[in-house]
Amino acid sequence: MEHAEAALALIPRPLRCVRLPGTFAIAEGTPIYTADVSADALMRAVLAELAPPIEAGDSSIRLMHEPILAGQVEAYRLTIQPSGIVVEATGTPGLLHAIQRIRQLLLDGPELPCCVIEDGPRFSWRGAHVDVARHMPPMLWLHRFIDLIALHGYNSLHLHLTDDQGWRMPIDRYPLLTEIGGWRARTMLRPARDGSPEVFEEERYGGSYTKAELRGLVEFAASRGVGVVPEIEMPGHATAAIAAYPELGNTGAKVEVSGSWAIHDGILNVDDGTLRFMQQVLEEVLDVFPSPFIHIGGDEVPTTQWRESETARARVRSEGLRDESQLYGWFLRRMAGWLRAQDRSTMVWDEALAAKLPADSTGIMAWRGEDAGRAAAGNSHPTVMAPRQFTYFDYYQSRDREREPLAIGGHLPLERVNAFEPLSPAMPVANQRHILGTQFQLWSEYLRTTEAVEYMAFPRACALAEVAWSPPAAKDFADFRRRLAVHLKRLDRLGVNYRPLGASE
Ligand code: ACM
């Protein structure tokens, strides 16, 4: 059976896959029978993308809702026989996953191998994060990227919409967030190194999406079974917002949208007006993004400016806090409480574990390491394992840095991604149920083009897809590499600018 799986070379590896004799030739005119509108639309899109314009014979594609694998919500059974294709799935997500399997096989050619695949994902959160603040990809590419991650079983796109270097979502009530906060005067091309100073490109850079584009993205993502999680950073990583509205800052000084990549001191102040401002921003975010989780950042917040602020000190006294550092938790608790009142859950980076946010409505994204994720799950927070050591795809793919495009640092080769185990080492069983899944991060300081993003994303996204989807017991890197060699031809056909195998790691 393992051999049969290898012959199909699917990624991520399905739960069960048996090759049957024969093939089925798919054609553009093959009739599709289904009562599921979403599955019908995706199947038609895939046929339009890939099916050859040959006469359809006496065959069909049937996409049906049937509870399988004990009703697991995303499960499906895909049967390909010479007479046609039958998919049974517990619900729409399973049908969409099965169609992506068909799409992978169609990328190999119009003759589909007969087989039975019974499958469903291991984790419910299979995420891809894109930083559109540091560099902003065209909206059309974001659609393409969703199509690519859906092909690999991912179901969540995390859009990092704001940071010190740019604000990308227009807020009608506060238009300067994009009009001023969306643009920077220059961009750091290289960090200081070996006694040489940083190198900047002295050119205005920026832009923003429209709300209509963002709504369109959400709708397209939904058609691919992908949810879009927006992130609005607070109280740190807020320089672009403060550049637009200096009253949000602590010093009153005019600041520029930043063009460099260090952690910035400029954080939001703790005035009631500033919290209200950010809630009004989030009101418009909620209106565009139906996501159950709204990400409010919470990472890398130096409290230097709060220590020096009379307003902040007054807030410490009036709230009975120990010192300014506790304003961090106070700020996030206020925002998370407001989100909960709007029936949304909050997502935060793992520093916010210290903020003692309510576990039932606050998810933690563990980026600094697996310990942070274990601590979050130990406190009953829904937890996404995104440790930088395994999931930061802005890290180098090889130790041979001179041969690689400039990256932020680190070393994360394919094999290491494949080796990641979100529940290890030794997470108590009682806490494992809090682990929602895993996600890769594409921070874009040095990813200036979509080609550069794809180079960093693939094939590592193929490896993490298996971590998120496939059962861990049979994990075998050599087997993954064999399947990947076939799979990369599919990515070739889709024009993906992946990093080739065989280059040094
Ligand atoms: C992060 O990398 N600062 C979440």
Side-chain angles (χ1 to χ4, degrees), residues 235 250 267-268 270 303-309 312 324 327-328:
N250 291 281
I267 65 172
L268 299 178
V270 291
T303 51
T304 330
Q305 291 190 345
W306 285 344
R307 266 203 304 282
E308 289 156 11
S309 149
E324 289 76 27
L327 288 170
Y328 168 76

Side-chain angles (χ1 to χ4, degrees), residues 210-403:
T210 66
K211 278 191 177 172
E213 286 176 324
L214 291 167
R215 284 186 214 281
L217 186 71
V218 168
E219 191 179 327
F220 178 75
S223 79
R224 296 299 185 267
V226 173
V228 182
V229 179
E231 179 183 0
I232 303 292
E233 277 266 22
M234 62 190 86
H237 287 277
T239 305
I242 297 167
Y245 293 95
E247 63 270 30
L248 299 175
N250 291 281
T251 65
K254 187 167 158 28
V255 297
E256 303 286 325
V257 178
S258 177
S260 68
W261 315 126
I263 295 177
H264 291 57
D265 274 346
I267 65 172
L268 299 178
N269 67 38
V270 291
D271 291 347
D272 286 323
T274 295
L275 276 91
R276 185 72 203 125
F277 182 109
M278 293 312 287
Q279 288 162 2
Q280 285 165 338
V281 166
L282 288 180
E283 273 170 12
E284 296 192 29
V285 171
L286 301 191
D287 189 47
V288 171
F289 295 96
S291 170
F293 279 103
I294 302 296
H295 204 309
I296 58 170
D299 60 317
E300 300 178 323
V301 183
T303 51
T304 330
Q305 291 190 345
W306 285 344
R307 266 203 304 282
E308 289 156 11
S309 149
E310 185 42 49
T311 318
R313 281 199 292 268
R315 178 69 78 186
V316 167
R317 286 192 297 275
S318 68
E319 296 291 328
L321 304 176
R322 191 183 64 234
D323 57 31
E324 289 76 27
S325 70
Q326 290 196 323
L327 288 170
Y328 168 76
W330 173 85
F331 191 109
L332 291 179
R333 282 192 298 278
R334 287 270 303 255
M335 296 309 296
W338 182 86
L339 275 170
R340 178 146 75 168
Q342 321 303 312
D343 285 328
R344 304 292 183 105
S345 295
T346 299
M347 185 62 79
V348 277
W349 298 108
D350 67 56
E351 286 95 326
L353 196 51
K356 301 263 182 290
L357 300 163
D360 60 345
S361 60
T362 317
I364 303 275
M365 238 169 221
W367 73 277
R368 289 179 302 171
E370 294 167 276
D371 283 351
R374 270 195 296 280
N379 285 327
S380 305
H381 284 282
T383 300
V384 177
M385 291 300 254
R388 58 196 175 80
Q389 299 87 347
F390 293 99
T391 67
Y392 268 37
F393 289 3
D394 55 334
Y395 284 11
Y396 281 99
Q397 304 189 62
S398 164
R399 287 197 191 284
D400 193 359
R401 290 189 177 188
E402 296 308 313
R403 289 173 192 270

Side-chain angles (χ1 to χ4, degrees), residues 32 39 50 78 127 163 176 185 389 395 407 434 450:
I32 301 163
L50 297 170
L78 164 63
D163 215 302
L176 301 184
Q389 299 87 347
Y395 284 11
H434 299 302
T450 55

Side-chain angles (χ1 to χ4, degrees), residues 68-239:
I68 70 151
L69 290 185
Q72 201 220 73
V73 288
E74 297 191 66
Y76 68 87
R77 180 187 296 122
L78 164 63
T79 309
I80 303 178
Q81 293 180 297
S83 57
I85 296 177
V86 175
V87 178
E88 301 144 274
T90 305
T92 300
L95 292 180
L96 301 185
H97 295 317
I99 294 167
Q100 294 292 354
R101 299 307 204 177
I102 297 168
R103 185 170 167 226
Q104 288 198 13
L105 295 172
L106 268 176
L107 282 161
D108 298 340
E111 298 268 317
L112 302 187
C114 290
C115 61
V116 180
I117 296 173
E118 281 184 349
D119 198 15
R122 180 181 178 204
F123 290 109
S124 64
W125 189 296
R126 304 179 300 279
H129 154 289
V130 179
D131 170 7
V132 301
R134 272 59 174 268
H135 285 98
M136 181 188 163
M139 181 50 68
L140 254 182
W141 181 85
L142 287 174
H143 284 237
R144 165 184 167 78
F145 190 64
I146 285 170
D147 229 357
L148 288 173
I149 61 172
L151 179 69
H152 295 86
Y154 287 91
N155 66 350
S156 179
L157 179 76
H158 171 167
L159 270 191
H160 185 77
L161 286 163
T162 73
D163 215 302
D164 299 305
Q165 299 83 6
W167 184 291
R168 305 281 171 240
M169 174 173 173
I171 302 297
D172 298 337
R173 196 178 181 116
Y174 297 113
L176 301 184
L177 286 171
T178 44
E179 285 172 20
I180 293 176
W183 294 90
R184 59 180 183 249
R186 61 181 196 160
T187 297
M188 191 167 143
L189 295 181
R190 300 190 76 89
R193 205 166 60 186
D194 305 330
S196 310
E198 298 123 337
V199 178
F200 286 89
E201 177 180 65
E202 303 289 339
E203 203 171 290
R204 194 168 131 87
Y205 179 93
S208 56
Y209 304 113
T210 66
K211 278 191 177 172
E213 286 176 324
L214 291 167
R215 284 186 214 281
L217 186 71
V218 168
E219 191 179 327
F220 178 75
S223 79
R224 296 299 185 267
V226 173
V228 182
V229 179
E231 179 183 0
I232 303 292
E233 277 266 22
M234 62 190 86
H237 287 277
T239 305

